[in-house]
Amino acid sequence: MRGPGRLFWKLFLGSLLLTAAVLAVCAWLISRETESFTQAALVQHLRGQALLLREMVGERLDAAHAVELDRLAKDIASRSPHPVRITFILPDGLVLGDSQADPARMESHANRREVIAALKDGWGDEVHLSHTLSMDMRYVAARVGPAEAPLGVVRVAMSTEAMGAKAKVLGNLVWQICLVGAAGMVVFAMGLAKVWSEPIKQMTATARSLSHGDLSARIHVSGHDEVADLGRSLNQMRDHLAAQLETIDRQRQILESLLTQLLEGVVVVGSDGRIVLINPAAIRLLGLPGDVEPPAVGFKQMHVEDFISHPQLRGMLLSHQRADGRGDGGAGEDGTDRSQTPAGGASRLKEARIRVQTCEGEISLLARALDVRLPNLGDGPAGEAEGRSSVARLMVLTDVTELSRAMQVKTDFAANASHELRTPLSAILGAVETLMEMDLAREAAAAQQFVQMVQRHADRMQA
């Protein structure tokens, strides 16, 4: 059994690549949206924590409560399940408390963008490098107090590495889902390619069988799509072709049966001088060798000059190849031209009576040859276009041996009868002429002899 063909692999790879591209785009979109969602959720979480810290601090965000605020920042950060950094900053940028460093050693934060945005708009969100911790962090700052007289800023931050770890977990989950989808995609693409390619493969095998002459091959069609319609059309073509071949075979058998049963010989020679058709009667009448099997087929495509030795027959069969019309065997045994031109002058009927030596002895044949037109099937001489008719030669051979013998007997009988009648008749006429000149009264005895002569020859003629 043959494996999957090229169409299967084309469909499989095409479906696989298309599905893989769609899956990769989906994975990329999911990853991007997941990362965006994670960032947004983180910002909301940090803003929530900043809001809580702002409520906890209240009016105590000032230099007098710096120690308390620093302790509060470190205490809350240590109890947080996530590594966060909490910072309390005055409007002039002075750090009062920080969960990760000593506020006294920290520089002014007045130039931090998130602090500037919080003092101006109430909230600030920024990602930048922390000079204190030497790492990138996301900062969310909330203003404490009114915009006209702010008390300071509460800032909550988380390192981007921690955020990246969370995003990496989500990304791994997405890619695991993509791998599972890819495995299912391979199975789906293979099944889809098999479903699409199997009917085409079956149609190809059926068409190949039909081209080899196997008309028993059929396609099992199901469904109502274009492929099913193509299969049904192929089955209809097979049925139509089988009916045509059956008709052609029946006509061929009828023709062969008629030609086989004909007592007259039939020979058809193409324009190239090769036998197109010959029946068994022609083989027998021409005395051709009987070692060619089957005889009616073995002589086909053989040239006339290869097996017909009689010059007059060859001339009659090949006369349609002679442009000048000479040497076509149109004269009979008596040297007279027996050619006939049918009405309209389409072609000339050549007729000749010849003698042929066969294994059964010498026989007499009446040969009649006529130009006919046959469809050119493309195997004739170069220059004859396929589909156009070509001139061929049809010759019919009739065994007239018995008829010739009967005519010879008739001729011999007429000659013998003429001879047998002419001799006594001459004697009778001579005797009558003599009697008419004699004197019967004086020469009665002599006249009696002539009368007896007439009587004797008349009895001979009667006999």
Side-chain angles (χ1 to χ4, degrees), residues 24-243:
V25 172
C26 291
W28 177 74
L29 292 175
I30 292 173
S31 299
R32 190 181 69 171
E33 292 299 323
T34 301
E35 183 179 0
S36 176
F37 175 78
T38 303
Q39 294 292 336
L42 177 62
V43 170
Q44 292 297 324
H45 175 68
L46 294 177
R47 291 185 67 175
Q49 287 187 341
L51 181 61
L52 289 175
L53 288 172
R54 186 177 67 177
E55 295 298 328
M56 291 175 62
V57 172
E59 300 293 333
R60 293 180 297 169
L61 187 59
D62 53 25
H65 298 85
V67 177
E68 182 183 354
L69 292 174
D70 184 63
R71 188 184 307 111
L72 178 63
K74 289 179 172 57
D75 183 55
I76 293 176
S78 63
R79 288 184 295 175
S80 176
H82 304 292
V84 296
R85 182 184 180 185
I86 301 173
T87 307
F88 298 107
I89 308 169
L90 290 177
D92 58 358
L94 179 64
V95 178
L96 298 179
D98 190 89
S99 61
Q100 302 292 333
D102 184 5
R105 297 182 179 181
M106 296 177 64
E107 61 183 4
S108 175
H109 281 45
N111 61 345
R112 302 295 193 268
R113 290 189 294 269
E114 69 274 8
V115 174
I116 296 173
L119 291 173
K120 180 181 178 182
D121 301 326
W123 291 97
D125 178 17
E126 192 66 36
V127 176
H128 59 79
L129 176 67
S130 173
H131 298 285
T132 305
L133 301 179
S134 299
M135 66 176 62
D136 290 331
M137 301 191 73
R138 175 173 285 278
Y139 297 93
V140 175
R143 184 184 64 209
V144 180
E148 297 80 7
L151 299 177
V153 173
V154 175
R155 191 182 69 174
V156 182
M158 182 177 290
S159 67
T160 56
E161 292 182 359
M163 294 186 295
K166 292 183 178 180
K168 185 177 181 180
V169 172
L170 292 175
N172 291 336
L173 179 61
V174 171
W175 286 112
Q176 288 175 4
I177 295 174
C178 289
L179 289 176
V180 174
M185 174 187 63
V186 171
V187 177
F188 172 76
M190 186 171 294
L192 190 63
K194 185 174 180 61
V195 169
W196 286 349
S197 64
E198 193 63 30
I200 303 298
K201 182 179 178 181
Q202 185 182 5
M203 291 179 193
T204 303
T206 303
R208 186 179 295 110
S209 299
L210 292 177
S211 66
H212 293 162
D214 182 13
L215 298 181
S216 62
R218 292 187 66 87
I219 300 176
H220 302 287
V221 181
S222 61
H224 301 281
D225 55 3
E226 289 79 1
V227 176
D229 292 339
L230 179 60
R232 279 188 284 269
S233 299
L234 192 59
N235 284 336
Q236 292 175 359
M237 183 184 71
R238 175 260 174 202
D239 297 337
H240 185 65
L241 183 61

Side-chain angles (χ1 to χ4, degrees), residues 313 316 350-354 365-369 395-397:
L313 283 177
M316 293 179 68
K350 311 295 181 180
E351 181 177 311
R353 191 171 295 177
I354 60 176
L365 296 178
L366 175 61
R368 288 166 290 179
M395 185 170 68
V396 179
L397 301 173

Side-chain angles (χ1 to χ4, degrees), residues 224-410:
H224 301 281
D225 55 3
E226 289 79 1
V227 176
D229 292 339
L230 179 60
R232 279 188 284 269
S233 299
L234 192 59
N235 284 336
Q236 292 175 359
M237 183 184 71
R238 175 260 174 202
D239 297 337
H240 185 65
L241 183 61
Q244 284 187 333
L245 290 179
E246 183 179 357
T247 302
I248 293 173
D249 185 65
R250 183 168 60 252
Q251 293 176 347
R252 179 186 58 81
Q253 291 178 359
I254 293 174
L255 178 61
E256 290 181 353
S257 177
L258 292 176
L259 290 175
T260 302
Q261 298 178 58
L262 278 178
L263 298 179
E264 287 78 8
V266 178
V267 182
V268 179
V269 178
S271 58
D272 57 352
R274 298 183 181 276
I275 296 295
V276 176
L277 184 145
I278 186 170
N279 67 338
I283 296 174
R284 176 179 55 82
L285 294 176
L286 293 174
L288 299 179
D291 54 352
V292 180
E293 293 293 340
V297 179
F299 287 102
K300 288 184 178 180
Q301 297 304 318
M302 293 182 64
H303 202 277
V304 171
E305 296 181 348
D306 293 338
F307 61 92
I308 295 183
S309 58
H310 200 286
Q312 196 171 3
L313 283 177
R314 285 207 307 264
M316 293 179 68
L317 288 171
L318 299 177
S319 63
H320 64 294
Q321 295 180 302
R322 300 286 299 273
D324 55 4
R326 294 175 298 175
D328 56 1
E333 287 182 334
D334 54 359
T336 60
D337 188 0
R338 301 181 184 275
S339 300
Q340 301 177 17
T341 303
S347 60
R348 293 175 60 84
L349 175 64
K350 311 295 181 180
E351 181 177 311
R353 191 171 295 177
I354 60 176
R355 295 184 180 275
V356 178
Q357 188 66 35
T358 66
C359 58
E360 299 177 356
E362 188 179 65
I363 61 175
S364 296
L365 296 178
L366 175 61
R368 288 166 290 179
L370 180 69
D371 288 341
V372 295
R373 289 195 171 273
L374 297 179
N376 183 21
L377 303 179
D379 53 356
E384 291 185 354
E386 183 175 353
R388 304 177 68 180
S389 61
S390 59
V391 179
R393 194 70 164 173
L394 168 67
M395 185 170 68
V396 179
L397 301 173
T398 305
D399 187 358
V400 293
T401 304
E402 295 299 327
L403 180 60
S404 298
R405 290 175 182 173
M407 292 179 63
Q408 186 63 41
V409 170
K410 177 182 177 181

